[in-house]
Amino acid sequence: MTKKKQSTATPNEVTKAQLYGKLAKLGITSVLIKYDGCGDSGCIESISSFGADNLEVNLPERSIGIDIVESKYDGTTRRFVSVNARRTVPIREAIENWCYDLLAQHFPGWEINEGSDGTIKLDVINKTATLEHDENVMRTNSHRVVV
């Protein structure tokens, strides 16, 4: 009897591998995601996908099975815990979920106060994600003139 090897991959790594694999099977070589947030809310503004010829292609409407990270309340410990759950979701939603996880991991609070905006480029061939992130800051210029 062979023992199954326990995976040491984090939920984000598992999702990344699954997502990039599904995109590659669809002939998608890159995906550009734009996001924006402020005033304590933020969202993915757009998702554009591209084929090998760098021409934009539509993401299919079909759903895919993928592992996602969910936050669930544990009544015993009275805390929210992150759990890995298998879900069947539209591929667009899988991309959004993974991008929200990336933003929370690398730029926590990206949507708070003045907020921020940026892009995430998924390079399916090289299995990388590049985040270009701009933080908005408020600046106050005070002047006092006595004449």
Side-chain angles (χ1 to χ4, degrees):
M1 180 193 233
T2 8
K3 282 189 175 182
K4 238 184 179 179
K5 187 175 179 182
Q6 189 76 18
S7 173
T8 57
T10 65
N12 270 349
E13 290 169 339
V14 170
T15 303
K16 177 183 177 181
Q18 292 173 332
L19 187 58
Y20 280 51
K22 303 284 185 187
L23 290 169
K25 284 182 183 176
L26 293 168
I28 294 170
T29 59
S30 66
V31 181
L32 183 66
I33 300 97
K34 295 181 182 180
Y35 62 91
D36 190 16
C38 69
D40 299 341
S41 67
C43 66
I44 301 292
E45 295 283 325
S46 66
I47 298 175
S48 304
S49 54
F50 302 89
D53 53 7
N54 263 352
L55 294 178
E56 190 168 357
V57 295
N58 291 327
L59 284 172
E61 295 297 320
R62 71 176 188 205
S63 294
I64 61 170
I66 199 160
D67 292 316
I68 61 171
V69 179
E70 289 183 334
S71 189
K72 291 194 174 197
Y73 185 73
D74 181 348
T76 307
T77 62
R78 295 183 178 176
R79 294 179 181 207
F80 282 94
V81 293
S82 294
V83 292
N84 207 19
R86 182 81 173 163
R87 293 284 182 257
T88 300
V89 297
I91 195 161
R92 180 174 295 279
E93 185 177 328
I95 292 169
E96 284 181 2
N97 286 337
W98 192 62
C99 288
Y100 283 126
D101 288 345
L102 284 177
L103 287 168
Q105 180 182 0
H106 295 283
F107 303 105
W110 63 274
E111 75 288 4
I112 296 176
N113 296 331
E114 289 79 26
S116 58
D117 59 81
T119 60
I120 302 171
K121 183 175 183 187
L122 308 182
D123 181 339
V124 177
I125 296 167
N126 295 308
K127 297 178 177 66
T128 59
T130 302
L131 288 79
E132 293 192 16
H133 182 79
D134 297 316
E135 292 180 359
N136 303 323
V137 293
M138 184 174 82
R139 186 173 133 181
T140 302
N141 293 323
S142 298
H143 303 277
R144 181 172 184 202
V145 178
V146 178
V147 282

